[in-house]
Amino acid sequence: MEKYILSIDAGTSSSRALIIDKKGNVKGISQFEFPQIFPKEGWVEHNPNQIWLTQLKAIKEVLKKTKISANRIHSLGITNQRETTVIWNKKTGEPVYNAIVWQDRRTAEICNDLKKQNLETIFQDKTGLLLDPYFSGTKIKWIFDNDPSLYLLAKNNQLAFGTIDSWLIWKLTNGKQHVTDVTNASRTLIYNIKELKWDQELIDLIGVPNNILPKVVSCSEHIGNTSKDILGVEIPITGIAGDQQASLFGQMCLEEGDIKNTYGTGCFCMMNTGEKIVKSKNKLLSTIAYQLNNKTYYAIEGSIFTGGSLIQWLRDQLSIISNASEIESLAASVKDNGGVTFIPALSGLGAPYWNPKATGSIMGITRGTEKGHIARAALEAIAIRTYEIIQNMQKDANTTFTNLKVDGGASNNNLLMQIQSNLIETKVIRPVFTETTALGAAFLSGLGSGYWKSLEDLKDIWKHDREFLPDSSENDNILSNWKERMNILY
Ligand code: ADP
């Protein structure tokens, strides 16, 4: 009987489960959104139990709708929103606080304090990251500062910390496994990406109790089995990677210099730098891309916090569209942006600005401004932020890219992809299957469980759908307004 891989994609806005066959075909997908919690200006939380319950529901539904029984799942892979921080009680399995989401800016002051002590270079040298609220370390500290009784519990070995991968594996194994993989660990600000271990100096600087930390594993190995009471059979868990790393893998960006950009809630551009760590001189991050067969591969990354979430904001808060895909026809209803620039700093500004306190603006509005102009300026804003990253990445890599592979929900927007190609003056390539994050997790799991024997088996799975070729005639207008207005603000 044919067997399959179950891929769990625990995203920022929804929990997804996919079943994938040996040829990389998706047999079924289930997806459930969960609430975003905004308790205060700049704060973003998730309820970890809602993440788990929607994830479990998605897993059960996809098995049911594909009529594939759990005993036909060869192995399971997990990919997840990174940096989002959960602390739970090891005895009860209950979270002690909501998950603090990667977009959350509440620890800006903690980061500032560390910067004032001139500690950024130490953190950057050891972790490849910068001191920004984005990463998990300061979020952990905030939870303990907020409720010191939790610190005592942690000292007494009663609490566990994890990113969403750790949390879901804890739940799936009924508390048997407390692990994370190297890619997720590399986003915590306390993991040394050269020495490949939790870094005691950084742990002490932030003030994290050692005994809450998960064991770190590679991206592709047998970690444990799902508990029998969850799906009736035990399924081997054999792959983990943070979402952006999984998408790099799913895009088959496996050679040095291969590059992809994901247009999800945020946008994340990543270039494989092979087995060497490239330290950015242009405010990008160095991070672990994946660890496979005892080899560690690295990447350079540009993280943009507001991507597709800008479109979500236009839908949910301004109601100028009723679903995300409508933004394309609205933006195409006007011939240009009409002089409007959208500064998409809805969760501060990530690379290369790293300004957690930045806020968004819509500039250049006149009596003639229409909804279409705002929509077009919003798409341009997503593409310009990516253009800025690509410019810096080319400088760091000392090369000019010949193409950019794209994926994520908003990469289905043809106008956005065309604007992107125009701005970076480079070919943009979109694969047939844009859920490359889930595909990457499936590949890692399948390699770890022997479902696929080697990378060679995966080579024919990635198929390209459409290419966008650059036409740079409009760029000057768009970019000169942007630069002028950004200079006024930041
Ligand atoms: P995540 O994995 O971060 O949850 P997805 O890859 O599922 O995100 O992409 C969802 C995001 O993409 C949402 O923020 C949504 O607003 C945006 N989006 C979806 N379709 C489109 C579209 N056609 N045009 C622009 N944005 C879109």
Short mmCIF file of all heavy atoms in Angstrom, two decimals, residues 45-107:
data_model
loop_
_atom_site.label_atom_id
_atom_site.label_comp_id
_atom_site.label_asym_id
_atom_site.label_seq_id
_atom_site.Cartn_x
_atom_site.Cartn_y
_atom_site.Cartn_z
N GLU A 45 -0.03 38.40 20.30
CA GLU A 45 0.02 37.11 21.00
C GLU A 45 -0.83 36.06 20.28
O GLU A 45 -1.72 36.41 19.49
CB GLU A 45 -0.52 37.28 22.44
CG GLU A 45 0.32 38.21 23.30
CD GLU A 45 -0.22 38.39 24.72
OE1 GLU A 45 -1.28 37.81 25.06
OE2 GLU A 45 0.43 39.13 25.49
N HIS A 46 -0.52 34.81 20.55
CA HIS A 46 -1.39 33.69 20.15
C HIS A 46 -1.67 32.86 21.38
O HIS A 46 -0.82 32.79 22.28
CB HIS A 46 -0.70 32.80 19.12
CG HIS A 46 -0.45 33.43 17.80
ND1 HIS A 46 0.58 33.06 16.98
CD2 HIS A 46 -1.11 34.42 17.14
CE1 HIS A 46 0.55 33.79 15.88
NE2 HIS A 46 -0.46 34.62 15.95
N ASN A 47 -2.82 32.20 21.38
CA ASN A 47 -3.10 31.25 22.45
C ASN A 47 -2.51 29.89 22.02
O ASN A 47 -2.95 29.31 21.03
CB ASN A 47 -4.62 31.17 22.64
CG ASN A 47 -5.02 30.14 23.67
OD1 ASN A 47 -4.27 29.20 23.94
ND2 ASN A 47 -6.18 30.32 24.25
N PRO A 48 -1.49 29.38 22.75
CA PRO A 48 -0.82 28.14 22.32
C PRO A 48 -1.79 26.96 22.21
O PRO A 48 -1.62 26.09 21.34
CB PRO A 48 0.21 27.88 23.42
CG PRO A 48 0.41 29.19 24.09
CD PRO A 48 -0.88 29.94 23.97
N ASN A 49 -2.81 26.94 23.07
CA ASN A 49 -3.77 25.83 22.98
C ASN A 49 -4.58 25.92 21.70
O ASN A 49 -4.93 24.91 21.09
CB ASN A 49 -4.70 25.82 24.20
CG ASN A 49 -3.98 25.27 25.42
OD1 ASN A 49 -3.16 24.36 25.30
ND2 ASN A 49 -4.26 25.84 26.59
N GLN A 50 -4.87 27.17 21.24
CA GLN A 50 -5.60 27.31 19.97
C GLN A 50 -4.71 26.85 18.80
O GLN A 50 -5.20 26.25 17.84
CB GLN A 50 -6.04 28.75 19.76
CG GLN A 50 -7.36 29.03 20.47
CD GLN A 50 -7.67 30.51 20.55
OE1 GLN A 50 -6.81 31.36 20.35
NE2 GLN A 50 -8.92 30.82 20.85
N ILE A 51 -3.42 27.12 18.91
CA ILE A 51 -2.51 26.65 17.85
C ILE A 51 -2.54 25.12 17.81
O ILE A 51 -2.71 24.51 16.76
CB ILE A 51 -1.07 27.17 18.09
CG1 ILE A 51 -1.03 28.69 17.94
CG2 ILE A 51 -0.07 26.48 17.14
CD1 ILE A 51 0.35 29.31 18.09
N TRP A 52 -2.43 24.51 18.98
CA TRP A 52 -2.42 23.04 19.04
C TRP A 52 -3.76 22.47 18.54
O TRP A 52 -3.78 21.55 17.72
CB TRP A 52 -2.10 22.59 20.47
CG TRP A 52 -2.47 21.16 20.79
CD1 TRP A 52 -3.34 20.74 21.74
CD2 TRP A 52 -1.99 19.97 20.12
NE1 TRP A 52 -3.43 19.37 21.73
CE2 TRP A 52 -2.61 18.87 20.74
CE3 TRP A 52 -1.11 19.74 19.07
CZ2 TRP A 52 -2.38 17.55 20.36
CZ3 TRP A 52 -0.88 18.41 18.67
CH2 TRP A 52 -1.51 17.34 19.32
N LEU A 53 -4.88 23.03 19.01
CA LEU A 53 -6.17 22.45 18.64
C LEU A 53 -6.48 22.62 17.15
O LEU A 53 -7.00 21.70 16.51
CB LEU A 53 -7.29 23.06 19.50
CG LEU A 53 -7.21 22.63 20.98
CD1 LEU A 53 -8.24 23.36 21.83
CD2 LEU A 53 -7.38 21.11 21.13
N THR A 54 -6.13 23.80 16.58
CA THR A 54 -6.37 23.98 15.14
C THR A 54 -5.44 23.06 14.33
O THR A 54 -5.82 22.52 13.30
CB THR A 54 -6.18 25.44 14.68
OG1 THR A 54 -4.95 25.94 15.21
CG2 THR A 54 -7.33 26.33 15.10
N GLN A 55 -4.23 22.87 14.86
CA GLN A 55 -3.28 21.99 14.17
C GLN A 55 -3.78 20.55 14.16
O GLN A 55 -3.77 19.88 13.14
CB GLN A 55 -1.91 22.09 14.85
CG GLN A 55 -0.79 21.54 14.03
CD GLN A 55 -0.63 22.21 12.68
OE1 GLN A 55 -0.21 23.34 12.60
NE2 GLN A 55 -1.00 21.53 11.61
N LEU A 56 -4.26 20.11 15.33
CA LEU A 56 -4.78 18.74 15.44
C LEU A 56 -6.00 18.55 14.54
O LEU A 56 -6.15 17.53 13.86
CB LEU A 56 -5.13 18.47 16.91
CG LEU A 56 -5.52 17.04 17.26
CD1 LEU A 56 -4.38 16.08 16.96
CD2 LEU A 56 -5.91 16.93 18.74
N LYS A 57 -6.85 19.57 14.52
CA LYS A 57 -8.05 19.52 13.67
C LYS A 57 -7.64 19.40 12.20
O LYS A 57 -8.23 18.62 11.44
CB LYS A 57 -8.84 20.81 13.91
CG LYS A 57 -10.29 20.75 13.57
CD LYS A 57 -10.99 21.94 14.20
CE LYS A 57 -12.07 22.46 13.28
NZ LYS A 57 -12.61 23.74 13.68
N ALA A 58 -6.64 20.18 11.80
CA ALA A 58 -6.18 20.15 10.41
C ALA A 58 -5.62 18.76 10.06
O ALA A 58 -5.89 18.22 8.99
CB ALA A 58 -5.12 21.23 10.17
N ILE A 59 -4.86 18.18 11.01
CA ILE A 59 -4.29 16.85 10.76
C ILE A 59 -5.41 15.82 10.58
O ILE A 59 -5.43 15.05 9.62
CB ILE A 59 -3.37 16.41 11.94
CG1 ILE A 59 -2.15 17.33 12.05
CG2 ILE A 59 -2.96 14.96 11.81
CD1 ILE A 59 -1.32 17.14 13.32
N LYS A 60 -6.37 15.86 11.50
CA LYS A 60 -7.47 14.87 11.44
C LYS A 60 -8.30 15.07 10.18
O LYS A 60 -8.70 14.10 9.53
CB LYS A 60 -8.34 14.96 12.69
CG LYS A 60 -7.62 14.40 13.92
CD LYS A 60 -8.49 14.35 15.14
CE LYS A 60 -7.75 13.60 16.26
NZ LYS A 60 -8.36 13.77 17.56
N GLU A 61 -8.55 16.34 9.84
CA GLU A 61 -9.40 16.60 8.67
C GLU A 61 -8.72 16.16 7.37
O GLU A 61 -9.36 15.60 6.49
CB GLU A 61 -9.77 18.09 8.60
CG GLU A 61 -10.87 18.30 7.57
CD GLU A 61 -11.06 19.75 7.18
OE1 GLU A 61 -10.24 20.26 6.38
OE2 GLU A 61 -12.03 20.35 7.65
N VAL A 62 -7.41 16.42 7.27
CA VAL A 62 -6.75 16.08 6.00
C VAL A 62 -6.70 14.55 5.82
O VAL A 62 -6.84 14.03 4.71
CB VAL A 62 -5.36 16.74 5.87
CG1 VAL A 62 -4.28 16.03 6.66
CG2 VAL A 62 -4.95 16.86 4.42
N LEU A 63 -6.55 13.82 6.93
CA LEU A 63 -6.56 12.35 6.82
C LEU A 63 -7.95 11.88 6.39
O LEU A 63 -8.09 11.01 5.54
CB LEU A 63 -6.18 11.72 8.17
CG LEU A 63 -4.72 11.89 8.60
CD1 LEU A 63 -4.53 11.52 10.07
CD2 LEU A 63 -3.79 11.04 7.72
N LYS A 64 -8.96 12.52 6.97
CA LYS A 64 -10.34 12.11 6.69
C LYS A 64 -10.69 12.42 5.23
O LYS A 64 -11.22 11.58 4.50
CB LYS A 64 -11.27 12.86 7.65
CG LYS A 64 -12.65 12.31 7.69
CD LYS A 64 -13.41 12.90 8.85
CE LYS A 64 -14.88 12.60 8.65
NZ LYS A 64 -15.72 13.55 9.36
N LYS A 65 -10.36 13.64 4.81
CA LYS A 65 -10.82 14.00 3.47
C LYS A 65 -10.05 13.31 2.35
O LYS A 65 -10.58 13.12 1.27
CB LYS A 65 -10.92 15.51 3.32
CG LYS A 65 -9.75 16.31 2.92
CD LYS A 65 -10.22 17.79 2.85
CE LYS A 65 -9.09 18.69 2.46
NZ LYS A 65 -9.35 20.09 2.75
N THR A 66 -8.83 12.87 2.63
CA THR A 66 -8.08 12.14 1.60
C THR A 66 -8.33 10.63 1.73
O THR A 66 -7.85 9.85 0.91
CB THR A 66 -6.56 12.37 1.75
OG1 THR A 66 -6.18 12.06 3.10
CG2 THR A 66 -6.17 13.79 1.43
N LYS A 67 -9.07 10.25 2.78
CA LYS A 67 -9.35 8.83 3.06
C LYS A 67 -8.04 8.02 3.20
O LYS A 67 -7.94 6.87 2.79
CB LYS A 67 -10.24 8.21 1.99
CG LYS A 67 -11.60 8.88 1.86
CD LYS A 67 -12.53 8.00 1.03
CE LYS A 67 -13.94 8.53 0.96
NZ LYS A 67 -14.09 9.72 0.17
N ILE A 68 -7.04 8.71 3.74
CA ILE A 68 -5.76 8.02 3.99
C ILE A 68 -5.68 7.75 5.49
O ILE A 68 -5.78 8.69 6.30
CB ILE A 68 -4.58 8.90 3.51
CG1 ILE A 68 -4.59 8.95 1.97
CG2 ILE A 68 -3.24 8.36 4.02
CD1 ILE A 68 -3.62 9.95 1.36
N SER A 69 -5.55 6.48 5.86
CA SER A 69 -5.54 6.20 7.30
C SER A 69 -4.15 6.49 7.87
O SER A 69 -3.15 6.47 7.15
CB SER A 69 -5.95 4.75 7.57
OG SER A 69 -5.06 3.92 6.88
N ALA A 70 -4.13 6.77 9.18
CA ALA A 70 -2.89 7.21 9.82
C ALA A 70 -1.78 6.17 9.68
O ALA A 70 -0.60 6.52 9.66
CB ALA A 70 -3.15 7.52 11.29
N ASN A 71 -2.14 4.88 9.55
CA ASN A 71 -1.08 3.87 9.42
C ASN A 71 -0.42 3.89 8.04
O ASN A 71 0.54 3.16 7.80
CB ASN A 71 -1.55 2.47 9.81
CG ASN A 71 -2.68 2.01 8.91
OD1 ASN A 71 -3.00 2.67 7.92
ND2 ASN A 71 -3.31 0.89 9.26
N ARG A 72 -0.93 4.74 7.15
CA ARG A 72 -0.26 4.89 5.84
C ARG A 72 0.63 6.13 5.80
O ARG A 72 1.13 6.51 4.75
CB ARG A 72 -1.30 4.91 4.73
CG ARG A 72 -1.95 3.52 4.57
CD ARG A 72 -3.08 3.55 3.60
NE ARG A 72 -2.63 3.79 2.24
CZ ARG A 72 -3.44 4.16 1.25
NH1 ARG A 72 -4.73 4.34 1.49
NH2 ARG A 72 -2.97 4.35 0.04
N ILE A 73 0.81 6.76 6.95
CA ILE A 73 1.74 7.89 7.02
C ILE A 73 3.12 7.34 7.38
O ILE A 73 3.31 6.77 8.45
CB ILE A 73 1.28 8.93 8.07
CG1 ILE A 73 -0.11 9.48 7.71
CG2 ILE A 73 2.30 10.07 8.18
CD1 ILE A 73 -0.20 10.20 6.38
N HIS A 74 4.05 7.50 6.48
CA HIS A 74 5.40 6.97 6.69
C HIS A 74 6.10 7.75 7.80
O HIS A 74 6.71 7.17 8.69
CB HIS A 74 6.19 7.08 5.38
CG HIS A 74 7.44 6.29 5.37
ND1 HIS A 74 8.66 6.82 5.70
CD2 HIS A 74 7.67 4.98 5.11
CE1 HIS A 74 9.59 5.89 5.61
NE2 HIS A 74 9.01 4.76 5.26
N SER A 75 6.01 9.09 7.73
CA SER A 75 6.61 9.92 8.77
C SER A 75 6.02 11.32 8.69
O SER A 75 5.31 11.65 7.74
CB SER A 75 8.13 9.97 8.63
OG SER A 75 8.49 10.54 7.39
N LEU A 76 6.35 12.11 9.69
CA LEU A 76 5.76 13.44 9.82
C LEU A 76 6.86 14.50 9.92
O LEU A 76 7.89 14.28 10.56
CB LEU A 76 4.93 13.38 11.10
CG LEU A 76 4.16 14.55 11.66
CD1 LEU A 76 3.10 14.01 12.61
CD2 LEU A 76 5.02 15.51 12.40
N GLY A 77 6.64 15.62 9.23
CA GLY A 77 7.58 16.74 9.31
C GLY A 77 6.86 17.98 9.81
O GLY A 77 5.66 18.15 9.56
N ILE A 78 7.60 18.82 10.52
CA ILE A 78 6.99 20.03 11.08
C ILE A 78 7.75 21.26 10.63
O ILE A 78 8.99 21.28 10.66
CB ILE A 78 7.03 20.00 12.63
CG1 ILE A 78 6.12 18.89 13.13
CG2 ILE A 78 6.63 21.34 13.24
CD1 ILE A 78 5.94 18.87 14.63
N THR A 79 7.01 22.28 10.21
CA THR A 79 7.61 23.59 10.01
C THR A 79 6.72 24.61 10.70
O THR A 79 5.53 24.37 10.89
CB THR A 79 7.80 23.92 8.51
OG1 THR A 79 8.37 25.23 8.42
CG2 THR A 79 6.49 23.88 7.74
N ASN A 80 7.30 25.73 11.10
CA ASN A 80 6.55 26.60 12.01
C ASN A 80 6.98 28.06 11.89
O ASN A 80 8.10 28.34 11.48
CB ASN A 80 6.80 26.12 13.45
CG ASN A 80 8.29 26.11 13.78
OD1 ASN A 80 9.04 25.30 13.26
ND2 ASN A 80 8.70 27.03 14.62
N GLN A 81 6.04 28.95 12.31
CA GLN A 81 6.41 30.35 12.49
C GLN A 81 7.56 30.34 13.51
O GLN A 81 7.50 29.65 14.52
CB GLN A 81 5.23 31.16 13.02
CG GLN A 81 4.55 30.60 14.26
CD GLN A 81 3.68 31.63 14.99
OE1 GLN A 81 4.01 32.80 15.05
NE2 GLN A 81 2.57 31.19 15.54
N ARG A 82 8.61 31.11 13.20
CA ARG A 82 9.81 31.06 14.06
C ARG A 82 9.72 32.12 15.16
O ARG A 82 8.88 33.00 15.11
CB ARG A 82 11.05 31.32 13.21
CG ARG A 82 11.15 30.39 12.01
CD ARG A 82 12.24 30.84 11.06
NE ARG A 82 12.03 32.20 10.58
CZ ARG A 82 12.91 32.89 9.89
NH1 ARG A 82 14.07 32.35 9.59
NH2 ARG A 82 12.65 34.11 9.47
N GLU A 83 10.63 32.03 16.10
CA GLU A 83 10.83 33.02 17.17
C GLU A 83 9.69 33.13 18.18
O GLU A 83 9.90 33.53 19.32
CB GLU A 83 11.10 34.44 16.60
CG GLU A 83 12.33 34.55 15.74
CD GLU A 83 12.00 34.52 14.25
OE1 GLU A 83 10.81 34.60 13.90
OE2 GLU A 83 12.93 34.40 13.44
N THR A 84 8.48 32.84 17.77
CA THR A 84 7.31 32.93 18.67
C THR A 84 7.56 32.03 19.88
O THR A 84 7.92 30.86 19.74
CB THR A 84 6.04 32.53 17.89
OG1 THR A 84 5.89 33.49 16.84
CG2 THR A 84 4.80 32.52 18.76
N THR A 85 7.35 32.61 21.06
CA THR A 85 7.87 32.03 22.29
C THR A 85 6.75 31.49 23.19
O THR A 85 5.82 32.22 23.51
CB THR A 85 8.64 33.14 23.04
OG1 THR A 85 9.72 33.55 22.18
CG2 THR A 85 9.17 32.69 24.38
N VAL A 86 6.87 30.22 23.56
CA VAL A 86 5.89 29.62 24.48
C VAL A 86 6.64 29.10 25.70
O VAL A 86 7.71 28.49 25.57
CB VAL A 86 5.14 28.42 23.84
CG1 VAL A 86 3.97 27.98 24.72
CG2 VAL A 86 4.64 28.76 22.45
N ILE A 87 6.08 29.34 26.88
CA ILE A 87 6.60 28.71 28.10
C ILE A 87 5.43 27.96 28.73
O ILE A 87 4.33 28.52 28.86
CB ILE A 87 7.21 29.76 29.06
CG1 ILE A 87 8.42 30.43 28.37
CG2 ILE A 87 7.63 29.10 30.38
CD1 ILE A 87 9.17 31.42 29.22
N TRP A 88 5.66 26.70 29.03
CA TRP A 88 4.58 25.90 29.60
C TRP A 88 5.06 25.10 30.80
O TRP A 88 6.27 24.94 31.01
CB TRP A 88 3.96 24.99 28.54
CG TRP A 88 4.85 23.91 27.99
CD1 TRP A 88 4.95 22.63 28.43
CD2 TRP A 88 5.75 24.02 26.87
NE1 TRP A 88 5.84 21.93 27.67
CE2 TRP A 88 6.35 22.74 26.71
CE3 TRP A 88 6.10 25.05 25.99
CZ2 TRP A 88 7.29 22.48 25.70
CZ3 TRP A 88 7.05 24.78 25.00
CH2 TRP A 88 7.62 23.53 24.87
N ASN A 89 4.08 24.61 31.57
CA ASN A 89 4.37 23.82 32.75
C ASN A 89 4.59 22.36 32.33
O ASN A 89 3.75 21.77 31.66
CB ASN A 89 3.16 23.93 33.71
CG ASN A 89 3.45 23.28 35.03
OD1 ASN A 89 3.81 22.10 35.10
ND2 ASN A 89 3.31 24.05 36.10
N LYS A 90 5.73 21.80 32.73
CA LYS A 90 6.07 20.45 32.28
C LYS A 90 5.12 19.40 32.83
O LYS A 90 4.91 18.35 32.22
CB LYS A 90 7.50 20.10 32.73
CG LYS A 90 8.59 20.79 31.93
CD LYS A 90 9.95 20.27 32.39
CE LYS A 90 11.06 21.19 31.94
NZ LYS A 90 12.36 20.87 32.51
N LYS A 91 4.55 19.67 34.03
CA LYS A 91 3.66 18.67 34.64
C LYS A 91 2.28 18.70 34.01
O LYS A 91 1.72 17.68 33.62
CB LYS A 91 3.52 18.95 36.14
CG LYS A 91 4.54 18.24 36.97
CD LYS A 91 4.05 18.08 38.42
CE LYS A 91 5.26 17.83 39.30
NZ LYS A 91 5.54 18.95 40.20
N THR A 92 1.71 19.90 33.89
CA THR A 92 0.33 20.00 33.42
C THR A 92 0.24 20.15 31.91
O THR A 92 -0.83 19.97 31.32
CB THR A 92 -0.36 21.23 34.04
OG1 THR A 92 0.35 22.40 33.58
CG2 THR A 92 -0.32 21.19 35.56
N GLY A 93 1.33 20.54 31.25
CA GLY A 93 1.29 20.81 29.82
C GLY A 93 0.57 22.10 29.49
O GLY A 93 0.28 22.38 28.32
N GLU A 94 0.27 22.91 30.49
CA GLU A 94 -0.46 24.17 30.26
C GLU A 94 0.51 25.34 30.10
O GLU A 94 1.43 25.50 30.90
CB GLU A 94 -1.39 24.46 31.44
CG GLU A 94 -2.74 23.78 31.37
CD GLU A 94 -3.50 24.12 30.09
OE1 GLU A 94 -3.72 25.32 29.83
OE2 GLU A 94 -3.87 23.19 29.35
N PRO A 95 0.28 26.18 29.08
CA PRO A 95 1.12 27.38 28.93
C PRO A 95 0.95 28.30 30.13
O PRO A 95 -0.15 28.40 30.69
CB PRO A 95 0.56 28.05 27.69
CG PRO A 95 -0.26 27.03 27.00
CD PRO A 95 -0.73 26.06 28.03
N VAL A 96 2.03 28.97 30.54
CA VAL A 96 1.93 29.88 31.67
C VAL A 96 1.64 31.30 31.20
O VAL A 96 1.37 32.19 32.00
CB VAL A 96 3.22 29.89 32.53
CG1 VAL A 96 3.48 28.51 33.12
CG2 VAL A 96 4.43 30.37 31.73
N TYR A 97 1.72 31.53 29.90
CA TYR A 97 1.43 32.85 29.33
C TYR A 97 1.09 32.59 27.86
O TYR A 97 1.45 31.56 27.31
CB TYR A 97 2.67 33.77 29.45
CG TYR A 97 2.35 35.22 29.18
CD1 TYR A 97 1.80 36.02 30.17
CD2 TYR A 97 2.57 35.78 27.91
CE1 TYR A 97 1.47 37.35 29.90
CE2 TYR A 97 2.25 37.10 27.65
CZ TYR A 97 1.70 37.88 28.65
OH TYR A 97 1.36 39.19 28.38
N ASN A 98 0.39 33.54 27.22
CA ASN A 98 0.16 33.38 25.78
C ASN A 98 1.49 33.33 25.04
O ASN A 98 2.51 33.84 25.54
CB ASN A 98 -0.65 34.57 25.25
CG ASN A 98 -2.14 34.27 25.26
OD1 ASN A 98 -2.55 33.11 25.39
ND2 ASN A 98 -2.95 35.30 25.11
N ALA A 99 1.48 32.78 23.84
CA ALA A 99 2.69 32.81 23.00
C ALA A 99 2.93 34.27 22.60
O ALA A 99 2.02 34.96 22.17
CB ALA A 99 2.48 31.96 21.76
N ILE A 100 4.18 34.72 22.78
CA ILE A 100 4.53 36.07 22.31
C ILE A 100 5.07 35.92 20.89
O ILE A 100 6.06 35.22 20.65
CB ILE A 100 5.56 36.75 23.24
CG1 ILE A 100 5.00 36.79 24.68
CG2 ILE A 100 5.88 38.15 22.75
CD1 ILE A 100 5.85 37.56 25.67
N VAL A 101 4.37 36.55 19.96
CA VAL A 101 4.59 36.30 18.53
C VAL A 101 5.81 37.08 18.01
O VAL A 101 6.15 38.14 18.54
CB VAL A 101 3.32 36.68 17.74
CG1 VAL A 101 3.49 36.50 16.23
CG2 VAL A 101 2.15 35.83 18.23
N TRP A 102 6.44 36.57 16.99
CA TRP A 102 7.65 37.19 16.41
C TRP A 102 7.45 38.67 16.10
O TRP A 102 8.39 39.46 16.19
CB TRP A 102 8.13 36.39 15.20
CG TRP A 102 7.13 36.21 14.09
CD1 TRP A 102 6.22 35.20 13.98
CD2 TRP A 102 6.93 37.04 12.94
NE1 TRP A 102 5.47 35.35 12.84
CE2 TRP A 102 5.89 36.47 12.18
CE3 TRP A 102 7.53 38.21 12.46
CZ2 TRP A 102 5.44 37.02 10.97
CZ3 TRP A 102 7.09 38.76 11.26
CH2 TRP A 102 6.05 38.17 10.53
N GLN A 103 6.23 39.04 15.73
CA GLN A 103 6.00 40.46 15.36
C GLN A 103 5.94 41.39 16.57
O GLN A 103 5.91 42.60 16.40
CB GLN A 103 4.65 40.59 14.64
CG GLN A 103 4.58 39.91 13.30
CD GLN A 103 3.13 39.66 12.92
OE1 GLN A 103 2.35 39.13 13.69
NE2 GLN A 103 2.76 40.05 11.72
N ASP A 104 5.87 40.82 17.76
CA ASP A 104 5.64 41.61 18.98
C ASP A 104 6.85 42.49 19.31
O ASP A 104 7.99 42.05 19.27
CB ASP A 104 5.39 40.62 20.13
CG ASP A 104 4.85 41.28 21.37
OD1 ASP A 104 5.61 42.03 22.02
OD2 ASP A 104 3.68 41.04 21.70
N ARG A 105 6.58 43.76 19.63
CA ARG A 105 7.64 44.74 19.85
C ARG A 105 7.85 45.10 21.33
O ARG A 105 8.52 46.07 21.63
CB ARG A 105 7.32 46.05 19.11
CG ARG A 105 6.64 45.92 17.79
CD ARG A 105 7.58 45.91 16.63
NE ARG A 105 8.24 44.63 16.52
CZ ARG A 105 9.49 44.49 16.15
NH1 ARG A 105 10.22 45.53 15.91
NH2 ARG A 105 10.01 43.31 16.04
N ARG A 106 7.23 44.37 22.25
CA ARG A 106 7.23 44.81 23.65
C ARG A 106 8.61 44.81 24.31
O ARG A 106 8.80 45.43 25.34
CB ARG A 106 6.25 43.95 24.49
CG ARG A 106 6.79 42.62 24.89
CD ARG A 106 5.77 41.79 25.62
NE ARG A 106 4.64 41.46 24.74
CZ ARG A 106 3.57 40.79 25.13
NH1 ARG A 106 3.46 40.41 26.38
NH2 ARG A 106 2.61 40.51 24.27
N THR A 107 9.56 44.09 23.71
CA THR A 107 10.86 44.01 24.38
C THR A 107 11.89 45.00 23.80
O THR A 107 13.09 44.82 23.98
CB THR A 107 11.42 42.57 24.32
OG1 THR A 107 11.59 42.20 22.95
CG2 THR A 107 10.50 41.57 24.98
#
